[in-house]
Short mmCIF file of all heavy atoms in Angstrom, two decimals:
data_model
loop_
_atom_site.label_atom_id
_atom_site.label_comp_id
_atom_site.label_asym_id
_atom_site.label_seq_id
_atom_site.Cartn_x
_atom_site.Cartn_y
_atom_site.Cartn_z
N TYR A 218 141.03 113.40 229.40
CA TYR A 218 139.92 114.17 228.83
C TYR A 218 140.29 114.71 227.45
O TYR A 218 139.49 114.69 226.51
CB TYR A 218 139.57 115.33 229.75
CG TYR A 218 138.91 114.95 231.04
CD1 TYR A 218 138.97 115.76 232.16
CD2 TYR A 218 138.21 113.76 231.16
CE1 TYR A 218 138.38 115.41 233.35
CE2 TYR A 218 137.61 113.38 232.34
CZ TYR A 218 137.70 114.21 233.44
OH TYR A 218 137.10 113.85 234.61
N GLN A 219 141.52 115.21 227.32
CA GLN A 219 141.94 115.75 226.03
C GLN A 219 142.00 114.65 224.97
O GLN A 219 141.56 114.86 223.83
CB GLN A 219 143.31 116.41 226.18
CG GLN A 219 143.26 117.70 227.01
CD GLN A 219 144.64 118.26 227.28
OE1 GLN A 219 145.64 117.61 227.00
NE2 GLN A 219 144.69 119.46 227.83
N GLU A 220 142.53 113.48 225.34
CA GLU A 220 142.55 112.38 224.38
C GLU A 220 141.14 111.96 223.99
O GLU A 220 140.87 111.68 222.82
CB GLU A 220 143.29 111.19 225.00
CG GLU A 220 144.78 111.43 225.20
CD GLU A 220 145.44 110.25 225.88
OE1 GLU A 220 144.75 109.28 226.19
OE2 GLU A 220 146.66 110.32 226.09
N GLU A 221 140.24 111.92 224.99
CA GLU A 221 138.86 111.56 224.70
C GLU A 221 138.20 112.59 223.80
O GLU A 221 137.46 112.25 222.87
CB GLU A 221 138.08 111.44 226.01
CG GLU A 221 136.65 110.92 225.86
CD GLU A 221 136.60 109.45 225.46
OE1 GLU A 221 137.66 108.80 225.44
OE2 GLU A 221 135.50 108.98 225.16
N ALA A 222 138.48 113.89 224.02
CA ALA A 222 137.90 114.94 223.18
C ALA A 222 138.40 114.84 221.74
O ALA A 222 137.63 114.99 220.79
CB ALA A 222 138.24 116.31 223.77
N GLU A 223 139.72 114.57 221.59
CA GLU A 223 140.25 114.42 220.24
C GLU A 223 139.63 113.22 219.52
O GLU A 223 139.30 113.28 218.33
CB GLU A 223 141.77 114.24 220.31
CG GLU A 223 142.50 115.51 220.76
CD GLU A 223 143.99 115.27 220.93
OE1 GLU A 223 144.44 114.14 220.69
OE2 GLU A 223 144.69 116.24 221.29
N ARG A 224 139.46 112.14 220.27
CA ARG A 224 138.84 110.96 219.66
C ARG A 224 137.41 111.25 219.25
O ARG A 224 136.95 110.82 218.19
CB ARG A 224 138.88 109.79 220.65
CG ARG A 224 138.51 108.45 220.04
CD ARG A 224 138.44 107.37 221.11
NE ARG A 224 137.34 107.63 222.03
CZ ARG A 224 136.07 107.33 221.76
NH1 ARG A 224 135.75 106.77 220.60
NH2 ARG A 224 135.12 107.56 222.63
N LEU A 225 136.69 111.99 220.09
CA LEU A 225 135.30 112.33 219.77
C LEU A 225 135.22 113.25 218.56
O LEU A 225 134.32 113.12 217.73
CB LEU A 225 134.64 112.96 220.99
CG LEU A 225 134.39 112.02 222.18
CD1 LEU A 225 133.86 112.79 223.36
CD2 LEU A 225 133.44 110.91 221.80
N HIS A 226 136.16 114.21 218.47
CA HIS A 226 136.19 115.09 217.29
C HIS A 226 136.41 114.28 216.01
O HIS A 226 135.76 114.51 214.98
CB HIS A 226 137.30 116.12 217.45
CG HIS A 226 136.91 117.29 218.32
ND1 HIS A 226 135.86 118.13 218.02
CD2 HIS A 226 137.42 117.75 219.49
CE1 HIS A 226 135.74 119.06 218.94
NE2 HIS A 226 136.68 118.84 219.87
N LYS A 227 137.35 113.30 216.09
CA LYS A 227 137.58 112.47 214.91
C LYS A 227 136.33 111.65 214.58
O LYS A 227 135.99 111.46 213.41
CB LYS A 227 138.76 111.54 215.18
CG LYS A 227 140.10 112.26 215.28
CD LYS A 227 141.22 111.27 215.57
CE LYS A 227 142.56 111.99 215.68
NZ LYS A 227 143.67 111.04 215.98
N ARG A 228 135.65 111.18 215.62
CA ARG A 228 134.44 110.40 215.40
C ARG A 228 133.36 111.24 214.74
O ARG A 228 132.65 110.77 213.85
CB ARG A 228 133.95 109.86 216.74
CG ARG A 228 132.70 109.01 216.67
CD ARG A 228 132.92 107.76 215.83
NE ARG A 228 131.74 106.91 215.82
CZ ARG A 228 131.55 105.91 214.97
NH1 ARG A 228 132.49 105.63 214.08
NH2 ARG A 228 130.47 105.18 215.04
N VAL A 229 133.24 112.50 215.17
CA VAL A 229 132.26 113.41 214.56
C VAL A 229 132.57 113.61 213.08
O VAL A 229 131.68 113.60 212.22
CB VAL A 229 132.26 114.76 215.30
CG1 VAL A 229 131.44 115.78 214.54
CG2 VAL A 229 131.67 114.57 216.70
N THR A 230 133.87 113.78 212.77
CA THR A 230 134.26 113.97 211.37
C THR A 230 133.92 112.75 210.52
O THR A 230 133.43 112.86 209.40
CB THR A 230 135.77 114.25 211.29
OG1 THR A 230 136.07 115.37 212.12
CG2 THR A 230 136.19 114.56 209.88
N GLU A 231 134.17 111.55 211.09
CA GLU A 231 133.85 110.33 210.36
C GLU A 231 132.35 110.20 210.12
O GLU A 231 131.91 109.80 209.04
CB GLU A 231 134.37 109.13 211.13
CG GLU A 231 135.89 109.04 211.20
CD GLU A 231 136.36 107.92 212.08
OE1 GLU A 231 135.49 107.23 212.66
OE2 GLU A 231 137.60 107.72 212.19
N LEU A 232 131.57 110.54 211.15
CA LEU A 232 130.12 110.43 211.00
C LEU A 232 129.55 111.41 209.99
O LEU A 232 128.55 111.14 209.32
CB LEU A 232 129.46 110.64 212.38
CG LEU A 232 129.68 109.51 213.40
CD1 LEU A 232 129.11 109.91 214.75
CD2 LEU A 232 129.06 108.21 212.93
N GLU A 233 130.18 112.59 209.91
CA GLU A 233 129.71 113.57 208.93
C GLU A 233 129.94 113.11 207.50
O GLU A 233 129.24 113.55 206.59
CB GLU A 233 130.43 114.90 209.18
CG GLU A 233 129.95 115.62 210.43
CD GLU A 233 130.74 116.89 210.71
OE1 GLU A 233 131.79 117.07 210.07
OE2 GLU A 233 130.29 117.69 211.54
N CYS A 234 130.95 112.23 207.28
CA CYS A 234 131.24 111.73 205.94
C CYS A 234 130.25 110.67 205.48
O CYS A 234 130.19 110.32 204.29
CB CYS A 234 132.66 111.16 205.89
SG CYS A 234 133.93 112.41 206.20
N VAL A 235 129.48 110.11 206.39
CA VAL A 235 128.52 109.06 206.04
C VAL A 235 127.19 109.73 205.70
O VAL A 235 126.43 110.14 206.59
CB VAL A 235 128.36 108.06 207.20
CG1 VAL A 235 127.40 106.95 206.80
CG2 VAL A 235 129.71 107.48 207.58
N SER A 236 126.91 109.91 204.43
CA SER A 236 125.69 110.62 203.99
C SER A 236 124.46 109.74 204.05
O SER A 236 123.33 110.26 204.15
CB SER A 236 125.90 111.13 202.56
OG SER A 236 126.17 110.04 201.69
N SER A 237 124.62 108.42 203.94
CA SER A 237 123.46 107.53 203.90
C SER A 237 122.77 107.43 205.26
O SER A 237 121.63 107.00 205.35
CB SER A 237 123.89 106.14 203.44
OG SER A 237 124.85 105.60 204.33
N GLN A 238 123.47 107.81 206.30
CA GLN A 238 122.89 107.73 207.66
C GLN A 238 122.87 109.12 208.28
O GLN A 238 123.38 109.35 209.36
CB GLN A 238 123.69 106.76 208.52
CG GLN A 238 123.73 105.36 207.98
CD GLN A 238 124.58 104.45 208.83
OE1 GLN A 238 125.23 104.89 209.77
NE2 GLN A 238 124.57 103.15 208.50
N ALA A 239 122.28 110.07 207.56
CA ALA A 239 122.32 111.47 207.97
C ALA A 239 121.61 111.69 209.31
O ALA A 239 122.12 112.38 210.20
CB ALA A 239 121.68 112.35 206.90
N ASN A 240 120.43 111.09 209.47
CA ASN A 240 119.67 111.32 210.71
C ASN A 240 120.40 110.73 211.92
O ASN A 240 120.52 111.37 212.97
CB ASN A 240 118.27 110.72 210.59
CG ASN A 240 117.43 111.41 209.54
OD1 ASN A 240 117.64 112.61 209.27
ND2 ASN A 240 116.50 110.69 208.93
N ALA A 241 120.88 109.50 211.75
CA ALA A 241 121.59 108.86 212.86
C ALA A 241 122.86 109.61 213.19
O ALA A 241 123.22 109.80 214.36
CB ALA A 241 121.90 107.41 212.51
N VAL A 242 123.55 110.07 212.15
CA VAL A 242 124.79 110.83 212.36
C VAL A 242 124.50 112.13 213.09
O VAL A 242 125.24 112.54 213.99
CB VAL A 242 125.49 111.10 211.01
CG1 VAL A 242 126.60 112.11 211.17
CG2 VAL A 242 126.03 109.80 210.45
N HIS A 243 123.40 112.81 212.70
CA HIS A 243 123.06 114.08 213.34
C HIS A 243 122.79 113.88 214.83
O HIS A 243 123.27 114.65 215.68
CB HIS A 243 121.85 114.70 212.65
CG HIS A 243 121.42 116.00 213.26
ND1 HIS A 243 122.14 117.16 213.12
CD2 HIS A 243 120.34 116.31 214.05
CE1 HIS A 243 121.54 118.14 213.77
NE2 HIS A 243 120.45 117.64 214.34
N THR A 244 122.04 112.83 215.15
CA THR A 244 121.73 112.56 216.57
C THR A 244 123.01 112.21 217.34
O THR A 244 123.26 112.73 218.44
CB THR A 244 120.74 111.39 216.67
OG1 THR A 244 119.57 111.72 215.92
CG2 THR A 244 120.37 111.13 218.12
#
Side-chain angles (χ1 to χ4, degrees):
Y218 289 155
Q219 291 173 351
E220 293 177 359
E221 186 70 8
E223 291 175 1
R224 192 186 66 80
L225 291 174
H226 279 299
K227 292 179 181 179
R228 181 62 177 166
V229 170
T230 304
E231 293 174 358
L232 290 174
E233 287 176 347
C234 296
V235 182
S236 59
S237 60
Q238 300 177 354
N240 294 332
V242 168
H243 179 72
T244 303

